[in-house]
Amino acid sequence: MTLSAKQTDARACIITLAAAAILAAFLGTPAAGAVPAPNPHARYYSVEDIATPAGVAASCGGLSFLPDGRLVAVFDHGEVYFYEPSSKRWARFAEGFHSPLGVLAISPREILVCQRPELTRLIDSTGSGTADRYECISDAWGLSGNYDEFAYGPVMDSKGNLYVALGSDSGAGKLRYEIRGQSKPSVPEFGVHAEFSGVPYRGWVVEITPGGKMIPIAGGLRQPNGIMIDANDQVFVTDNQGDWIGTSPFHHIVQGGFYGHPGGLVWRPDFKGPLSLLELDRMRRDGTVMFSHGIIANSPGQPLTDTTQGKFGPFAGQIFVTEFNVPRILRVMLEEVAGELQGAVAPFYDGTPLRSGSIRLAFAPDGSLWVGQGQRRLGWPADEGIQKVTWKGEAPMDVLSVHLTSTGFELTFTKPVDPAIVSHPEAFSIRRYYYLYHQEYGSPRTDVHSVPISHMKLSPDGLKVGFDVDVLQAGDIYEFTLKGVMAADGTPVLNPLVAYTANRLQDGSSRPIPWPPPTGDSVGSGQDQPIVPNQ
Amino acid sequence: MRLGIALLAVLASATASVAAEVEVDVSVAPGLKFDPARFAVAPGDRVTVVFYNGDEMIHNFVITEPGERLKVVTAALELGADGPGRNYVPNMKEILWSTRALNPSSTTTLVFTAPAKEGVYPYVCTFPGHGFLMYGAMYVTRGEMPPIETDQNIPPNLTTAIEAKDGLIKVGDRPVVSRTFLPDCGPAAIAVGMPGGQSYCFDATACRLRYAWKDGFVDNTDQWAGKGYLWGKVVGRIYYRAPAAPWLRLGTRDHIPEPSWHGYRLVKGYPEFLYSLDGTEVSELVRPLPGGGGLEVSFDIPSASGQVYLVFDPDGGAAPSSSAGNWNGGTLALAPDEARHFTVTLTERPKVEPIGYWSMNDALWSNEVEPPPGVVGRAFTPGGGERKRQILDTGIKTSQLAGGGTLMAWAKVGGEDSKAFAPIFSAGRSFVLQSPVRDNAWHHVVVTLPPGGAESRLFLDGVDHGASGLTLPAVAASLEIGSAGDRYLSGLLDEVRIYDRVLDTAEIEATYRREAIQGNLIQP
């Protein structure tokens, strides 16, 4: 079925309108009508559109670079293509995949693709330029026909083990008569109507050994639309806000971990039956970094470490994460506190010409960041295609990292801060809050308090601003809005919003379970509000 | 047409016009859609909207003044962080009525009096981002709504909020492989279209050929739209269906081996499937018969340690022959050295398979409602689950049966009301086959439709019950299953078939017996 030109234009209009309006709501700026100012990000990073192959639906599910600089991309209707950036030529390598949502290029003759039913190894055994072998690396996870059963990945560790993250089942989807894998009934106590785990390992991260054996690693995810592995073989995923997931998290995956969404617990060998909310809350691992809903992100996708060693700007070693609903890319800054990873997140790039729909990332050998946009996973419209982000060579003024001290925070900036900052504590507007853990869809920002600061100091080199806060509460998210913070050279902070997830304090304390009754406001979900009266 | 509206009571008034109490069921369809996309009420009607969110996202239901949807949607977006606490409903005069924001799997009701002023009143979900596509139209009118095909007040004609391009795959001079969801197969289905119009479905979990068809390939438009809620469609005519049990056996004829899928390699573009059965490696390559009319399937089982068997249905849609081995009835037996490489040819027997077959195993059920069991697998309820009726589009016209036809179904109809309208099949206004039995038990109902006006006969549970009294309409009409226009069968249907030939008594009885045994209705 093809759309008429009028319908296509109408859709394009709707998407642009929707994305712009949502971004404006995100940023708290006026939606339509005002003449837009030039995007301040454009001074530091260029964003260019990459034309996708002719005749191929542009919704992109995965990107990976070959060492020779060619890009490998997978598209929603099942195609795998190579792209030569210098000649801008696309060449089809393989086709026929079912919802491919990740690709890992090993060599020009060996490409791994993660699709709904299996993890596939593509081999070009003759050097013809197209794959002639489609080998099943693993199809050992369950498949019931439910449309939310996506498979994300793969990533590979230093020993050749592969990791795949598996989406849970939607309560609105179908359970087929013929399924793959054992079926287990939903656990009503877990409130499974939104998402659940009807067949094996939905909502889990699984490892596949070089010998092809599938080992379940950790469960409790809802829709982990993004997986990465760092230089230390640590696996990270993002998950999506929804039932049981108060706000979207970025998770460090550890063996045996439980990440909060209880549907997948049924596949643990030690599962004996429903657990109470308190037991689940004690079992679950916190999000390493939480992305405040509607403020930082609505729907994060793939995370990826900046391995460019400086070719992409001053954030080498940090982690970029896609956001789907609005034109935004996030940046995660990690540190270790009391033996656990935690840290901060901030927007890295906002606004046009970046498009919405971003779900995948890949760094090219030349240090540019390529972004894949596709709308399938969330079932609602966004942009689609591929864009390329290139550093222009000048470092923006930004918060480089956030360090939790025993009395407050220390922010390191990319450039020396204007020394006048020390007499302007109001430049750091901070509030803290947490998200509830419960069966309901999402959570309000709970127990919101503003956070006055004191004892601000600037390091001699001007790069670090430290201050104390009135209350350090383990388990809170500290959300900073920088107002009027300038570099010594006069440039303002490019991304003034930063949020730190203080799972642990330096003294080792962690969030109380359960939380005591809140003393601050709750802002957010209103599911139990009365019907708005008739006008 | 007023969809899903029940007229509960009629309130007389002093004037000529009559205000009714009307209940409308509105639910959320995947892909950010309201179902129904529109409905009509009369001015002054007392309306109860029962709004059910079965989706996995939050939605609300807001009715606005005519023409004000986008203004309301934009204002709702601008609520920003205040949105959730206000159910995403801004305070503005353009909003007439609204529900709270519903969690997944929740229901709420909205009661109001329809405005006196006729017009098109949009309803919309104002959750951020949804309202640009998730809306419908409440027609307040004493007349009829305009044709739905050209109605500008409902979202553009997209299967879901995200349309698919080029879902109908055309096969040219090279084979095309498409992994997708197909009916009557496991969830890991591989559709292969070959030059010359022959196609087949291979099940990558069961590691076997499930069915073959001709004159087309697949249409993935529905499967590629949205999140893949709907499935791919076979384009063309299925002429061969593999029997329920796998055909390839190793060692002993009656043992079903355990399959393990390895993938496939392309041989001149054709996929050669690689799998093992009980640990023994098999490769299977399917090609169209040169000259058309069927398939040739080449097997390589280099390490067969015992006899190899292929079990066919001798009366099925394809006549089998082979390059090696010995035939005994429908079973081919090969010695290990013969099994190293052999070819089976499946030659189409035209029209043996029906032009339409509905196992009802994967009808429109969601995970929310447990599908009822049928005689074989699951059954179909035209009356729907808790929410709404289900409609089957057969796509078959009575004119296709002009050369002879047979309609076949299992039906289970309750005895509560023996006069209730119970259509198993219908076409147009004049042709309806009602369930002849209403005892809340499964019965096999068949009607033969010989060509040229010869007598149509009714068969019940494999037994000829005499003339059916039915004739196909003179003007071609679409065949319906379980319904006749707005009216539908209150009961269950299963294993429905429409043949474009007249089945004889022996075949009707054999089908009845085979399925009745499978369904434990009779003893073997």
Side-chain angles (χ1 to χ4, degrees):
Chain A
M1 176 178 89
T2 53
L3 292 181
S4 68
K6 194 196 269 195
Q7 277 181 315
T8 317
D9 291 342
R11 283 209 67 247
C13 269
I14 286 172
I15 289 171
T16 312
L17 184 64
I22 293 172
L23 176 61
F26 240 10
L27 304 178
T29 57
V35 173
N39 187 345
H41 295 84
R43 173 170 161 182
Y44 307 97
Y45 290 89
S46 67
V47 178
E48 71 182 88
D49 297 347
I50 303 293
T52 52
V56 173
S59 190
C60 174
L63 297 171
S64 181
F65 273 92
L66 288 161
D68 64 15
R70 280 182 293 174
L71 170 70
V72 185
V74 296
F75 296 95
D76 264 9
H77 295 175
E79 305 96 338
V80 182
Y81 269 79
F82 284 13
Y83 179 71
E84 220 303 306
S86 52
S87 65
K88 297 193 196 322
R89 295 238 306 254
W90 288 97
R92 195 185 64 237
F93 183 72
E95 63 187 13
F97 286 83
H98 195 180
S99 303
L101 279 166
V103 60
L104 181 60
I106 308 292
S107 78
R109 295 180 44 172
E110 184 182 355
I111 308 287
L112 309 188
V113 179
C114 208
Q115 55 173 324
R116 193 187 276 275
E118 69 180 49
L119 177 60
T120 305
R121 171 179 286 111
L122 286 168
I123 301 279
D124 171 9
S125 63
T126 63
S128 67
T130 60
D132 54 274
R133 295 185 70 94
Y134 292 60
E135 298 173 350
C136 172
I137 299 175
S138 179
D139 64 347
W141 58 78
L143 204 63
S144 73
N146 191 292
Y147 61 78
D148 259 355
E149 289 174 349
F150 295 109
Y152 308 100
V155 294
M156 186 187 287
D157 70 13
S158 58
K159 301 185 185 64
N161 299 303
L162 295 159
Y163 299 86
V164 169
L166 299 169
S168 297
D169 294 315
S170 167
K174 292 195 223 320
L175 177 71
R176 296 192 67 152
Y177 179 62
E178 288 182 57
I179 61 174
R180 186 177 77 194
Q182 176 198 3
S183 160
K184 283 206 185 179
S186 324
V187 178
E189 288 82 352
F190 291 161
V192 297
H193 291 293
E195 296 274 328
F196 63 104
S197 184
V199 284
Y201 304 117
R202 305 312 319 185
W204 283 64
V205 170
V206 298
E207 172 187 332
I208 297 140
T209 66
K213 183 165 141 77
M214 190 190 84
I215 304 169
I217 295 294
L221 299 160
R222 190 174 167 270
Q223 229 11 272
N225 181 20
I227 183 168
M228 65 162 264
I229 195 157
D230 74 3
N232 299 316
D233 281 357
Q234 310 266 44
V235 174
F236 297 85
V237 301
T238 56
D239 202 356
N240 271 269
Q241 187 233 33
D243 57 313
W244 291 100
I245 312 292
T247 197
S248 299
F250 170 75
H251 280 306
H252 173 215
I253 299 297
V254 301
Q255 174 82 49
F258 167 62
Y259 290 89
H261 195 279
L265 285 174
V266 297
W267 305 110
R268 281 167 70 128
D270 58 355
F271 181 69
K272 290 183 177 57
L275 298 159
S276 69
L277 181 61
L278 196 57
E279 289 169 301
L280 293 170
D281 205 3
R282 289 200 178 112
M283 270 173 66
R284 72 184 178 100
R285 290 187 58 89
D286 297 300
T288 302
V289 181
M290 309 289 284
F291 296 171
S292 302
H293 196 76
I295 299 168
I296 293 283
N298 274 357
S299 188
Q302 183 178 352
L304 187 68
T305 308
D306 179 345
T307 48
T308 67
Q309 298 179 327
K311 290 191 215 153
F312 193 64
F315 307 115
Q318 297 193 342
I319 295 167
F320 294 99
V321 185
T322 60
E323 157 59 20
F324 175 82
N325 278 98
V326 299
R328 165 173 286 184
I329 296 173
L330 300 158
R331 176 172 59 92
V332 164
M333 307 149 250
L334 294 181
E335 64 169 354
E336 194 173 289
V337 174
E340 290 280 345
L341 287 173
Q342 63 189 43
V345 59
F348 154 74
Y349 194 103
D350 263 333
T352 56
L354 182 67
R355 297 188 295 235
S356 68
S358 298
I359 51 164
R360 296 292 177 260
L361 294 174
F363 278 107
D366 68 3
S368 55
L369 178 65
W370 293 54
V371 186
Q373 290 142 356
Q375 53 194 347
R376 182 60 178 262
R377 266 61 49 215
L378 287 90
W380 60 347
D383 291 317
E384 48 188 24
I386 298 172
Q387 290 186 304
K388 170 184 169 186
V389 184
T390 308
W391 185 42
K392 290 182 166 173
E394 182 191 354
M397 176 57 169
D398 253 329
V399 171
L400 179 62
S401 60
V402 181
H403 170 59
L404 177 70
T405 69
S406 47
T407 54
F409 294 91
E410 181 185 73
L411 276 55
T412 303
F413 287 81
T414 53
K415 298 197 286 188
V417 183
D418 183 340
I421 191 71
V422 288
S423 34
H424 290 282
E426 73 280 5
F428 296 90
S429 168
I430 307 176
R431 57 183 183 167
R432 64 183 173 91
Y433 48 83
Y434 59 86
Y435 288 94
L436 297 167
Y437 175 66
H438 55 194
Q439 178 184 317
E440 279 80 16
Y441 193 107
S443 161
R445 295 184 294 284
T446 304
D447 206 10
V448 185
H449 293 273
S450 61
V451 180
I453 69 172
S454 61
H455 301 99
M456 195 184 330
K457 353 185 248 293
L458 186 62
S459 60
D461 60 9
L463 289 174
K464 294 186 195 314
V465 174
F467 47 78
D468 297 344
V469 297
D470 66 335
V471 172
L472 271 182
Q473 173 61 58
D476 269 2
I477 291 157
Y478 282 77
E479 183 195 295
F480 306 83
T481 303
L482 277 57
K483 300 180 172 172
V485 177
M486 316 273 285
D489 67 13
T491 46
V493 164
L494 181 60
N495 295 288
L497 174 65
V498 183
Y500 185 96
T501 304
N503 288 325
R504 286 203 173 28
L505 302 185
Q506 292 292 357
D507 65 9
S509 57
S510 57
R511 66 178 160 93
I513 304 174
W515 284 102
T519 54
D521 289 337
S522 282
V523 184
S525 142
Q527 270 72 39
D528 297 321
Q529 300 293 319
I531 295 171
V532 173
N534 291 357
Q535 306 270 341
Chain B
M1 181 167 88
R2 296 180 177 207
L3 289 171
I5 292 179
L7 218 58
L8 298 179
V10 174
L11 308 171
S13 74
T15 67
S17 70
V18 171
E21 279 198 23
V22 169
E23 179 178 304
V24 183
D25 287 330
V26 177
S27 59
V28 176
L32 293 184
K33 293 157 66 106
F34 282 115
D35 179 15
R38 62 182 200 167
F39 61 88
V41 298
D45 276 350
R46 187 87 183 135
V47 183
T48 300
V49 171
V50 181
F51 175 51
Y52 170 67
N53 178 14
D55 200 17
E56 83 264 4
M57 292 188 268
I58 291 177
H59 299 292
N60 65 10
F61 180 87
V62 177
I63 302 179
T64 80
E65 290 277 16
E68 301 290 9
R69 173 179 62 89
L70 278 174
K71 186 171 180 190
V72 166
V73 164
T74 306
L77 264 179
E78 286 164 358
L79 289 176
D82 290 339
R86 308 192 43 182
N87 292 291
Y88 310 99
V89 179
N91 199 3
M92 55 201 291
K93 61 173 168 44
E94 289 83 356
I95 292 178
L96 293 172
W97 305 283
S98 65
T99 68
R100 66 179 198 273
L102 285 190
N103 256 342
S105 280
S106 305
T107 308
T108 189
T109 55
L110 189 60
V111 181
F112 58 92
T113 302
K117 189 169 169 178
E118 296 197 16
V120 182
Y121 293 76
Y123 49 90
V124 63
C125 171
T126 59
F127 185 91
H130 291 189
F132 297 101
L133 275 136
M134 187 170 175
Y135 59 91
M138 176 176 78
Y139 279 78
V140 177
T141 175
R142 293 183 184 85
E144 293 296 318
M145 294 187 283
I148 195 164
E149 297 78 16
T150 50
D151 192 343
Q152 299 289 324
N153 295 306
I154 59 175
N157 183 21
L158 306 169
T159 307
T160 71
I162 300 160
E163 86 291 3
K165 302 184 179 78
D166 302 324
L168 178 65
I169 305 180
K170 296 270 177 20
V171 178
D173 57 4
R174 63 173 184 88
V176 179
V177 176
S178 176
R179 298 192 68 158
T180 181
F181 284 150
L182 284 178
D184 297 319
C185 183
I190 306 181
V192 181
M194 300 179 287
Q198 294 275 346
S199 302
Y200 65 92
C201 167
F202 191 88
D203 186 327
T205 303
C207 301
R208 65 187 181 103
L209 176 67
R210 296 301 297 264
Y211 47 91
W213 66 95
K214 60 179 182 176
D215 303 330
F217 183 36
V218 290
D219 185 348
N220 274 330
T221 302
D222 286 352
Q223 162 52 201
W224 285 346
K227 295 174 78 169
Y229 175 75
L230 299 168
W231 297 336
K233 289 193 175 70
V234 165
V235 177
R237 174 155 188 170
I238 297 176
Y239 66 85
Y240 169 74
R241 290 178 200 276
W247 60 354
L248 184 55
R249 321 276 172 91
L250 305 182
T252 56
R253 183 192 179 282
D254 294 327
H255 164 71
I256 310 287
E258 183 75 27
S260 178
W261 167 249
H262 300 327
Y264 58 92
R265 64 191 181 106
L266 297 178
V267 178
K268 296 197 170 72
Y270 291 85
E272 182 177 38
F273 303 112
L274 308 166
Y275 56 91
S276 62
L277 297 178
D278 284 344
T280 300
E281 298 300 322
V282 180
S283 19
E284 180 175 341
L285 174 63
V286 180
R287 270 199 266 247
L289 276 180
L295 305 174
E296 58 180 33
V297 186
S298 303
F299 289 92
D300 286 63
I301 311 177
S303 312
S305 55
Q307 289 277 79
V308 170
Y309 299 92
L310 272 116
V311 180
F312 296 90
D313 172 7
D315 303 316
S321 59
S322 65
S323 61
N326 295 312
W327 287 93
N328 187 355
T331 299
L332 172 67
L334 302 114
D337 60 309
E338 293 176 308
R340 279 200 191 95
H341 178 77
F342 65 98
T343 298
V344 165
T345 299
L346 296 172
T347 304
E348 181 193 351
R349 288 203 187 101
K351 294 196 179 188
V352 166
E353 283 284 326
I355 48 168
Y357 164 64
W358 294 266
S359 65
M360 305 306 186
N361 290 342
D362 290 316
L364 308 166
W365 296 100
S366 78
N367 290 325
E368 298 242 19
V369 181
E370 192 63 32
V375 176
V376 182
R378 295 170 172 168
F380 173 69
T381 301
E386 298 167 358
R387 294 289 140 204
K388 63 184 176 81
R389 59 175 292 201
Q390 306 190 87
I391 297 168
L392 255 179
D393 175 18
T394 68
I396 297 172
K397 288 199 156 10
T398 52
S399 46
Q400 292 171 255
L401 309 185
T406 305
L407 307 177
M408 176 187 288
W410 282 93
K412 183 177 180 187
V413 181
E416 304 88 39
D417 181 354
S418 60
K419 296 202 181 64
F421 187 55
I424 301 178
F425 293 99
S426 76
R429 289 186 197 284
S430 60
F431 181 90
V432 180
L433 167 63
Q434 293 206 51
S435 178
V437 190
R438 320 271 173 108
D439 61 356
N440 207 28
W442 283 106
H443 293 284
H444 196 240
V445 179
V446 177
V447 156
T448 59
L449 299 160
E455 185 185 67
S456 156
R457 301 191 75 76
L458 170 72
F459 290 74
L460 185 61
D461 296 332
V463 175
D464 189 331
H465 266 241
S468 74
L470 295 173
T471 46
L472 287 175
V475 176
S478 291
L479 276 159
E480 298 180 37
I481 293 172
S483 64
D486 272 1
R487 306 171 69 190
Y488 55 88
L489 177 119
S490 178
L492 301 177
L493 293 173
D494 194 15
E495 303 302 308
V496 176
R497 296 178 174 87
I498 299 175
Y499 293 86
D500 58 348
R501 62 181 171 94
V502 179
L503 267 64
D504 63 26
T505 308
E507 195 175 357
I508 293 170
E509 205 222 346
T511 308
Y512 156 71
R513 279 192 58 80
R514 186 180 74 240
E515 292 179 345
I517 289 166
Q518 266 186 284
N520 290 316
L521 300 173
I522 64 175
Q523 293 306 306

